[in-house]
Each structure stands twice: as C-alpha cells, then as structure tokens.
Amino acid sequence: MHSEEAGFGLYVHWPYCEAKCPYCDFNSFVEKSIDHDAWTQAYLLELERAYRVSPNEPLTSIFFGGGTPSLMRPKTVEAVLAKANSLWGFSNDVEITLEANPSSVEAQKFTDFRLAGINRVSLGVQSLVDADLKRLGRLHTVDEALTALDIANAEFDRVSFDLIYGRQDQTLGAWSHELDRALELTSGHISLYQLTIEPNTAFGDRYAIGKLSGLPNEDLGADMYELVQDRCGARDLMAYEVSNHAKKGHESRHNLTYWRYGDYVGIGPGAHGRLTISQQKVATETILAPQLWLKAALDADTLTHSTTCLTNFEADQERALMGLRLKDGIDTKDFRSDQETVLNAQKLNELQVLGLIDKQGSRICATQEGRPVLNYILRSILDTDAT
C-alpha cells in the first residue's frame, strides 16, 4: 500500500477553456456548446468504475483541473463530490481544490462552488501587467484578477494563485516590482513558474521560426529565480517544491500526493492515475479527445482508459523523478528495487561533490544551488539505460 503521508487523491479533468493560451500544452480545448448534463453523468459513471479498482480508503484530496474547471456548473461539481464521498468517503480534513480563471463572470460563481464543497481555489492570474496578460493570451485584466482574489479570499480559507515570469522583454527590475506586489496579495500559497516554451504550442511554433523575441537568457532567468527564493523566504513562504511556495500548513496536499508518489485516481479526458494494486504500482491513462472520452464514459461496454503495470524499477524511477522536486527530496528506503539500479551512483557522487545534491543516509535531495538545475540533475542520475 502507499504511505499514509502521501495521501490518496482524486483528479477530475475538465477539458474546456474560453480560449487556448499560446504557452499551454495541457489537454484543453475551446468548444462553443457543452452538454453539461452528459458530462455530469459521464463523471459519475467513471467514478463508479474507478472505485471498483482503487483502494477502499478515504480520499484526502480532490482536484478539479483543466482546462478551466470554473467553467463547470457548480451543481456538476456538487454531484461529483457527493458521488466520491458515497464511494470512498472523505478524510476529516479533505482538501478540495478548483482551478479558476479570474474573469469577473467566473468569480461570481465562487459562492456556489463553496456551497458545492470546494474549500480551496487556485487562480490562474499569470501576470500583474495588462500588456503581458494579452501577450500570454489571457482574457482577464489585472483589475479583474485583483477582484477575483478579493472574492476568493472572502469565500475560501485557502487560496493560491499562479504567476509566470521570464516573459518576453521582462527585466529583473520589473519582475522585482511585480513579485513584491504579488507577495502582498498572497494569503498562504503561491506558484511561481518560469515560462517554458513547449513544442506543439503557439509559442513553440513561433519560437521555432525565430518569432518569439525578448526571452531572458540563462543568467537573467537564474537571477529571476534567485529573487523568487529570497523574497518568498523573507515572508516565510517556504519553497516546499521547485515552483511552489507556502506558509506552513498551506502546502497543496493534492500535489504533495503526486510528488510523494501516493495513489490517485484520474478521471476525465487525458487524466492520468497511479494506483497500488496487489502491491504493484499501476498507471492509468484515459482517452485524450473530449468527445471520444465522453462517448466511451457513457457507454457501459466501452473502456475509457488504458492500464499499465509498472515494474519496480519503473515505479522507483517515477518516485525519484517526482520526489526530487520536493525540498525534502526522496528516501531510497522506499524503493522496491536496488538504489544503484535506479540511480546512477557515479553521477550521484559527482553531483554531491559539486554541491548540487545532498545525501544523508538513505535520503537524497537537491541543494539550494541544485534546485535551479533540477532537470539537469534528473537527467544525470536517472539511469534510463538500466533494465
């Protein structure tokens, strides 16, 4: 079984957005007409199917992600939560998060979402500069974001929001001013991501033909990252994960389940899951296309997901890949296979000499100097050629 510390989560994917952001590589789509009743019924049927193959224990967290889940009807959210509670039950302090865009129309729904059972909101603010919001393809303004934050803080005890830095033509001074303003607005949790250019996105296509100018060089990106660490640290917003900062007790419990390699059910188009069945880690992945998933979910005779049984080696690699994102790192005592099979011992020693990782007994973590180059560390120590 998975550890109690990691928790047991449910992820619900809502695939629709009002517009597709040019940097986004998530499984999201723009659709003019949505049959909300059909989607509600599909989610409920999927929950029943998932329950039959998952651990029979209370859920510690639920996360409505997307897409833009705040475009869901609150009564759909309420129905999903009621069904999940009737199947698994909830822990006493269950965390139930909804991702939301800060447009004024959606903010008005926050009361209904709270009454439906949501107790934590994550707002996709992304920038506190109107011109940059337009560049990022966002449909809200800074004023709308601030209004949504005010409403969210009035409705929910726990509120987080996201910002993207390393944007086009952004200077260190401009980021410093924006970051200070953002931290004044932070109630307990903030996610700060450096812009990454992903393939198969509008930004990726522009970058490939040299039409995405003004991106920061490596040195400026590093300076922006260090500024984040200093300013957040000064406000007791611990960098408990590479891009996530929280006051003690405000960490995202659902995301911690991912990073601690706990079990979670994933429903909705393109959703992933990880379950421990007969002491073996099993990966699940659902149909990507929303309409194909919906049709399959409503048909009792059609499977909506594929299932892969992971070897101990594959599971341990995933555990390391996820866990090293955390400030606390990983404990190799949790591995089911030999540590030196999973991790490249020579590279591990080299990185330790360079001061990029710290190894105390069976626990391994990236140091403060190593966290900005975590992707390099992971590529170095995860011996993908091992069998």
Side-chain angles (χ1 to χ4, degrees), residues 175-355:
W175 173 229
S176 175
H177 175 75
E178 185 177 359
L179 179 60
D180 283 343
R181 188 181 184 194
L183 294 179
E184 290 290 339
L185 300 168
T186 304
S187 58
H189 190 287
I190 188 168
S191 300
L192 299 162
Y193 301 103
Q194 186 161 350
L195 178 65
T196 54
I197 308 303
E198 303 288 354
N200 303 315
T201 64
F203 273 5
D205 293 342
R206 289 180 215 167
Y207 183 78
I209 59 175
K211 290 191 174 181
L212 197 67
S213 62
L215 295 175
N217 60 28
E218 190 174 309
D219 288 341
L220 178 55
D223 289 343
M224 289 178 165
Y225 174 86
E226 288 302 326
L227 188 68
V228 166
Q229 310 316 306
D230 292 344
R231 298 285 168 84
C232 288
R235 292 176 178 265
D236 295 324
L237 289 159
M238 180 184 71
Y240 71 102
E241 190 268 347
V242 172
S243 301
N244 287 270
H245 304 256
K247 292 180 180 176
K248 190 172 179 58
H250 284 261
E251 300 88 350
S252 169
R253 297 173 206 160
H254 187 82
N255 285 338
L256 282 172
T257 293
Y258 296 157
W259 296 321
R260 290 171 175 165
Y261 208 50
D263 279 5
Y264 60 96
V265 171
I267 67 166
H272 292 252
R274 290 293 183 275
L275 299 171
T276 305
I277 300 174
S278 300
Q279 297 187 325
Q280 184 174 26
K281 207 73 168 184
V282 173
T284 64
E285 183 176 355
T286 62
I287 296 169
L288 275 169
Q291 289 305 314
L292 292 179
W293 178 88
L294 181 65
K295 185 176 184 297
L298 292 172
D299 183 348
D301 296 323
T302 305
L303 278 177
T304 62
H305 67 272
S306 60
T307 300
T308 304
C309 293
L310 302 179
T311 66
N312 287 340
F313 170 75
E314 290 169 331
D316 287 342
Q317 278 211 318
E318 286 193 345
R319 182 187 296 277
L321 186 70
M322 299 300 289
L324 283 168
R325 297 187 62 84
L326 291 169
K327 180 181 174 65
D328 295 337
I330 57 173
D331 191 335
T332 55
K333 286 191 295 188
D334 294 329
F335 284 5
R336 300 289 297 276
S337 47
D338 180 68
Q339 172 189 323
E340 294 197 5
T341 302
V342 180
L343 304 176
N344 186 316
Q346 179 181 341
K347 291 292 186 182
L348 205 60
N349 290 332
E350 290 174 3
L351 292 170
Q352 189 171 11
V353 170
L354 290 172

Side-chain angles (χ1 to χ4, degrees), residues 110-121:
F110 282 174
T111 298
D112 292 335
F113 283 127
R114 177 177 58 79
L115 294 173
I118 299 298
N119 58 27
R120 181 179 182 271
V121 163

